Amino acid sequence: MLQRSPVGRIGAYPLGEGRYRFSVWAPLVERVELKLTSPVRRLIPLTQDEQGYWQGEVEGIPPGPVDYLYRLHTAAGVVERPDPASRCQPYGVHGPSRVVDPHFDWQDQGWKGIPLSQWILYELHVGTFTPEGTFAAIIPRLPQLVELGVNVLELMPVAQFPGERNWGYDGVYPYAVQTSYGGAVGLKALVNACHQQGLAVVLDVVYNHLGPEGNYLGDFGPYFADKYRTPWGKAMNFDGPYSDGVREFFLQNAEYWLEEFHLDGLRLDAVHAIYDFSAYPFLQELAERVDALEARTGWPRVLVAESDLNDVRLITPRKQGGYGLDAQWCDDFHHSVHTLLTGEKTGYYQDFGQLEHLAKAYRESYVYSGQYSRYRARRHGNSAVSRPGSQFVICIQNHDQVGNRMLGERLSQLTSFAGLKLAAAALLLAPMLPLLFMGEEYGEVAPFLYFISHGDPNLVKAVRQGRCREFSAFAWRGEPPDPQAEETFLRSKLNWELKEAGHHQVLWKWYQTLIRLRKTQPALQHLEREGVEVELFSGSGLALHRRQGSQSLLALFNFSPDQPATYTDWQGGSWEKLLDSHETQWLGPGSSLPAKSQGDPVEVPPYGVVVYGQNR
């Protein structure tokens, strides 16, 4: 571990009795002044330290919201900008920043987190999860999530973005909580309520780029790298000159979310776009800082990386030469299930579509572990077989895989009801960490579309054109919905009333039953590699064996939509049926599979799944 520089807390915060402290990193700016705009108007010179931080304390500020800007004096002239570490942007991304009192009346003192191996995640977008689109509106829905059985809420990014409609990946103030969602107090109230009901909370954060509108970091210093570029704009400067200040900005940001908001973890967006070739990578330093915070606070914090590199070094312990992150998203599982159910073979789906791909995902997590990828036209990935399944988050739907389709179709629009039950079982019986995407559990039919509310017409035009280019690899025809239109956003809101009746209600109970099975069966709680065996049978069948101690579970899947698959390879003893998707209670036609098996052949119906258990 490198020696940490003694950098104080950046941003603005109250000291009590009308006193406030301000600190901003601007190493190449000639002079910085603090411009107070409310409740008094005042211009205060700041003092620069040897590391490029401009700081100052202000006294005698009367009660009321404290709004401010920084006046930057450079060779090119004078500009006034909001604080890069602003905690609140009440007037939007271009207006003054506001000081936020960090105090909150927390009521989660007994909370100690949930072990990573037990996580069942539920990803949601704050703006479309409820009609109101706020943190406060989520709280009354929490009992339904607890009843379902999920135990980790994963929030898509909430850092301040332009306008009121956005996925969150266009955020430009990494410390400020989106005002239209309810701001910092609203987020803390949500986390507090989640912990009181036994739910952990993970926040999606973006450290690989900033959005284009309201992005003023470049005026303060060399936050961006000239030598790298992400698909979404300039890359952050994590390894060039002055990169220490950039890294500290994001390291403190992670600590801020985890400590001040009592979050249980962070999902790190697209770490493959964090370009850093230094000897001490940012991701490793981040993991070490979070470990130190965990030791200081006494309960676990988790870092989950999103990466399409299939590089096990991300989650390999630092003592073994890795970065030491706790877990990562693993898209290979999604692609394997999706192609089997939909037959899609364009874009990155061209690398999948065989039942053996899903079998390897169960065995090793990465399907591509060094072999040739047609989509990438090169070899891809390395082996993850040395790491346990508890380090891999998998899904059958998420915001990317749904929202980056041209029409935002959910799986409910791409396969049959039997296919939905099969996919849910494939996910929740897997020896990895399952993630559900909001509404998936009852077969939501509303699309999840890409939406924005930018104020710059030229930027809006560029986004429209960019979305069309993204879809070209998938050969989708037609025009995508206008991302700037409010209607696109409104169409993406959940229809909660669906879950109360018909096949939607049955699907919800199916998910609930699978989650309960996962929580109560020891073999399903064991996520080590040695407890998992997979075999293919009868052309379209996959048998997943899960073992722990004296218990064995056997899940038989049939991925043919019209042909049965016969399984014969029982491993002795008596087996009891625990779950059967073709029973009438699950709106199946009725099942002929025996309640107990002594090893006789069983015929798994088309798009069917059956689970048998054995205790010795």
Side-chain angles (χ1 to χ4, degrees):
M1 181 187 298
L2 294 184
Q3 183 177 359
R4 179 182 175 184
S5 299
V7 175
R9 183 163 50 150
I10 59 176
Y13 45 94
L15 300 175
E17 299 180 347
R19 295 172 56 240
Y20 294 81
R21 181 168 178 79
F22 298 83
S23 177
V24 62
W25 185 66
L28 305 180
V29 174
E30 296 176 356
R31 185 156 53 98
V32 178
E33 295 168 306
L34 171 68
K35 181 179 180 180
L36 293 177
T37 61
S38 173
V40 294
R41 302 185 67 86
R42 194 184 301 175
L43 197 62
I44 301 129
L46 300 180
T47 302
Q48 187 182 32
D49 68 14
E50 66 279 2
Q51 297 185 67
Y53 291 88
W54 295 83
Q55 301 171 337
E57 291 187 9
V58 183
E59 299 180 347
I61 298 180
V66 178
D67 297 337
Y68 66 100
L69 294 161
Y70 286 120
R71 177 174 287 185
L72 310 178
H73 296 256
T74 70
V78 179
V79 294
E80 294 181 352
R81 296 288 184 250
D83 185 354
S86 168
R87 269 55 169 177
C88 178
Q89 288 296 120
Y91 312 102
V93 296
H94 304 290
S97 303
R98 175 169 291 175
V99 181
V100 173
D101 186 345
H103 175 76
F104 183 81
D105 184 19
W106 289 100
Q107 298 169 313
D108 65 347
Q109 288 77 11
W111 178 253
K112 294 300 180 184
I114 298 172
L116 179 61
S117 62
Q118 298 176 18
W119 280 22
I120 302 172
L121 298 98
Y122 188 95
E123 184 190 26
L124 66 83
H125 176 268
V126 175
T128 56
F129 185 68
T130 64
E132 300 86 351
T134 63
F135 298 125
I138 296 172
I139 294 175
R141 305 281 183 180
L142 296 180
Q144 297 179 55
L145 299 182
V146 172
E147 184 183 5
L148 176 64
V150 298
N151 55 20
V152 180
L153 209 63
E154 181 170 314
L155 304 176
M156 289 175 65
V158 302
Q160 187 78 33
F161 51 75
E164 298 187 353
R165 306 184 301 275
N166 201 287
W167 276 16
Y169 300 95
D170 286 326
V172 287
Y173 292 92
Y175 289 77
V177 183
Q178 178 67 19
T179 52
S180 61
Y181 289 170
V185 173
L187 177 56
K188 290 176 181 178
L190 173 60
V191 175
N192 192 52
C194 284
H195 286 174
Q196 289 177 303
Q197 299 200 39
L199 293 165
V201 186
V202 172
L203 178 64
D204 197 341
V205 293
V206 185
Y207 292 163
N208 55 66
H209 78 289
L210 263 66
E213 184 176 348
N215 179 356
Y216 297 116
L217 263 70
D219 292 329
F220 287 84
Y223 277 90
F224 301 98
D226 293 329
K227 55 185 175 179
Y228 311 125
R229 190 169 182 83
T230 78
W232 315 284
K234 289 184 176 181
M236 306 310 301
N237 172 25
F238 285 115
D239 66 359
Y242 298 97
S243 58
D244 285 355
V246 180
R247 292 163 72 119
E248 186 64 28
F249 180 83
F250 288 104
L251 292 168
Q252 286 199 27
N253 181 258
E255 293 172 322
Y256 163 74
W257 289 121
L258 294 171
E259 192 159 21
E260 185 169 317
F261 289 84
H262 289 204
L263 290 168
D264 299 272
L266 301 174
R267 183 256 192 193
L268 309 174
D269 178 65
V271 299
H272 51 270
I274 294 178
Y275 299 108
D276 179 4
F277 294 93
S278 66
Y280 185 42
F282 168 75
L283 291 174
Q284 179 181 337
E285 186 175 9
L286 174 61
E288 291 177 354
R289 289 279 279 266
V290 172
D291 284 352
L293 184 148
E294 183 176 301
R296 189 167 68 248
T297 58
W299 51 283
R301 304 306 215 282
V302 172
L303 294 176
V304 182
E306 182 207 14
S307 171
D308 73 351
L309 298 177
N310 281 19
D311 186 353
V312 77
R313 287 177 294 181
L314 288 170
I315 56 173
T316 298
R318 292 187 292 278
K319 291 182 179 179
Q320 299 176 27
Y323 292 167
L325 301 179
D326 299 288
Q328 72 151 102
W329 275 29
C330 186
D331 286 343
D332 284 11
F333 179 87
H334 168 272
H335 299 346
S336 298
V337 174
H338 185 92
T339 51
L340 288 171
L341 289 176
T342 67
E344 293 185 9
K345 295 291 289 182
T346 55
Y348 45 70
Y349 292 137
Q350 66 187 274
D351 281 340
F352 297 85
Q354 299 176 19
L355 198 56
E356 176 55 35
H357 291 140
L358 179 57
K360 187 174 181 183
Y362 280 134
R363 295 187 196 107
E364 302 183 22
S365 298
Y366 295 159
V367 174
Y368 281 82
S369 55
Q371 67 268 49
Y372 184 80
S373 156
R374 284 186 298 163
Y375 172 66
R376 292 177 171 83
R378 59 169 173 80
R379 289 173 294 176
H380 178 60
N382 53 34
S383 176
V385 72
S386 64
R387 306 311 310 156
S390 57
Q391 289 193 283
F392 296 91
V393 176
I394 59 170
C395 71
I396 53 175
Q397 300 182 69
N398 64 33
H399 74 273
D400 270 332
Q401 304 304 336
V402 176
N404 284 330
R405 299 179 65 83
M406 187 175 73
L407 299 179
E409 309 102 316
R410 294 168 174 268
L411 195 57
S412 63
Q413 305 302 294
L414 302 174
T415 190
S416 64
F417 183 69
L420 291 178
K421 291 187 292 180
L422 177 61
L427 171 70
L428 289 165
L429 299 176
M432 290 169 278
L433 305 179
L435 175 142
L436 281 58
F437 182 54
M438 59 176 193
E440 168 189 329
E441 70 275 17
Y442 60 84
E444 177 61 68
V445 298
F448 185 69
L449 299 162
Y450 184 73
F451 43 81
I452 56 172
S453 52
H454 290 323
D456 181 350
N458 292 326
L459 181 57
V460 172
K461 180 180 178 181
V463 171
R464 289 170 177 152
Q465 294 172 344
R467 294 295 288 177
C468 290
R469 285 194 300 271
E470 285 183 34
F471 299 139
S472 62
F474 291 89
W476 289 320
R477 296 181 179 180
E479 289 292 324
D482 182 4
Q484 180 73 4
E486 184 179 13
E487 172 63 18
T488 302
F489 167 71
L490 295 176
R491 287 177 57 197
S492 301
K493 286 183 176 281
L494 297 187
N495 299 293
W496 280 93
E497 66 278 5
L498 291 177
K499 69 178 285 290
E500 303 303 328
H503 71 275
H504 297 286
Q505 184 182 60
V506 172
L507 185 63
W508 189 92
K509 291 180 179 178
W510 174 253
Y511 269 84
Q512 183 190 47
T513 300
L514 283 164
I515 292 173
R516 185 182 302 122
L517 199 66
R518 184 181 180 97
K519 287 182 172 181
T520 57
Q521 301 297 320
L524 295 181
Q525 298 168 27
H526 182 69
L527 303 183
E528 299 294 331
R529 300 289 182 195
E530 67 269 15
V532 178
E533 293 180 13
V534 188
E535 59 180 313
L536 306 184
F537 65 93
S538 193
S540 60
L542 184 150
L544 174 62
H545 298 261
R546 304 283 304 278
R547 296 183 177 87
Q548 170 64 12
S550 62
Q551 188 192 51
S552 296
L553 260 73
L554 175 64
L556 302 175
F557 304 93
N558 182 5
F559 281 88
S560 171
D562 50 26
Q563 297 295 321
T566 303
Y567 182 74
T568 61
D569 193 22
W570 298 92
Q571 297 183 8
S574 177
W575 294 80
E576 180 181 358
K577 187 167 69 171
L578 303 178
L579 192 65
D580 185 345
S581 66
H582 267 54
E583 291 179 348
T584 55
Q585 65 174 314
W586 307 120
L587 298 185
S591 177
S592 60
L593 294 171
K596 293 183 181 295
S597 173
Q598 297 294 333
D600 297 325
V602 293
E603 193 172 77
V604 184
Y607 272 3
V609 56
V610 60
V611 181
Y612 283 92
Q614 179 187 73
N615 287 286
R616 292 184 178 181

